[in-house]
Amino acid sequence: MSVRRLRWILWGLVLVAGAAFALLLAERGRPVPPAAAIQPLVDVAELGGPFALTDQDGRAVSERDLAGRPYALFFGFTHCPDVCPTTLYGLTQLMAALGPDAERLRVLFVTVDPARDTVGQLKLYLSSFDPRITALTGTPDAVAGMLGNFRAYARKVPTGDSYTMDHTALVYLMGADGRFVSTLDMHEPQDIQLGKLKRLVAREVTTP
């Protein structure tokens, strides 16, 4: 191969690499739809399933206790510095805005940190939010099973002599029939979020 031809080939590779890099930057700058974290990755019909956890009052809770009533579910942990308290505060405001309709909705806060989030810790933590919010914990295996039910993610991240948790920060909206309906984007205007919850509690399930 001649030196001249080799030089043209090298210039071609440089141009292709530059175009690919420019395309990558352009793609990163595009906004992501709110539900994109779920819908392209999993079949939403598979979300949900059986579980056996314990609430902040020490009572056993399973999927049977949720049957026939819509619910909103959020994964988090009590040592979370910002996302979790902000989300729970937002849900508290939404429940107040729903008025009497809030009684038709269950709101669940499922810990991703069962080692630290005991029943007592969850009860203390939830005292700052709407008392109708239910917190759930359990054995590591039981919590991992719940995460798997919702295709959610959680990972322990060491921080010096302690650790924090990376986790899915979506609010799942589930219908009274136990099927996935939508998600709440806590960055949306409150009236948009409230509209989603109103439509959720208005859905009816036909029982055989």
Side-chain angles (χ1 to χ4, degrees), residues 10 37 41-42 62 78 87-88 94 97 106 112 115 129 137 147 164 187 194 200 204-205:
L10 290 175
L41 301 179
V42 303
S62 75
T78 64
T87 299
L88 289 173
L94 287 168
R106 293 199 69 170
V112 298
F129 307 106
T137 188
L147 286 163
T164 187
H187 296 95
L194 186 59
L200 181 67
E204 296 182 358
V205 57

Side-chain angles (χ1 to χ4, degrees), residues 105-156:
L105 175 73
R106 293 199 69 170
V107 178
L108 306 178
F109 172 64
V110 182
T111 183
V112 298
D113 186 16
R116 293 185 294 192
D117 286 344
T118 61
V119 166
Q121 173 67 15
L122 288 174
K123 190 173 183 68
L124 177 63
Y125 186 71
L126 283 192
S127 65
S128 300
F129 307 106
D130 191 291
R132 293 168 291 187
I133 297 175
T134 299
L136 297 175
T137 188
T139 65
D141 285 345
V143 169
M146 188 65 158
L147 286 163
N149 286 347
F150 287 88
R151 309 301 190 269
Y153 163 83
R155 182 174 68 93
K156 183 183 291 188

Side-chain angles (χ1 to χ4, degrees), residues 53-104:
L53 297 172
T54 304
D55 72 11
Q56 71 268 30
D57 294 315
R59 293 175 298 206
V61 178
S62 75
E63 76 285 355
R64 294 184 295 274
D65 298 298
L66 304 178
R69 189 175 175 187
Y71 63 95
L73 182 147
F74 176 69
F75 291 99
F77 64 115
T78 64
H79 289 72
C80 180
D82 42 37
V83 172
C84 301
T86 299
T87 299
L88 289 173
Y89 177 69
L91 289 169
T92 294
Q93 290 185 308
L94 287 168
M95 293 178 76
L98 274 175
D101 280 345
E103 302 299 327
R104 302 167 59 188

Side-chain angles (χ1 to χ4, degrees), residues 29-48:
R30 293 181 184 176
V32 178
I38 286 185
Q39 293 176 349
L41 301 179
V42 303
D43 180 355
V44 294
E46 297 177 357
L47 296 180

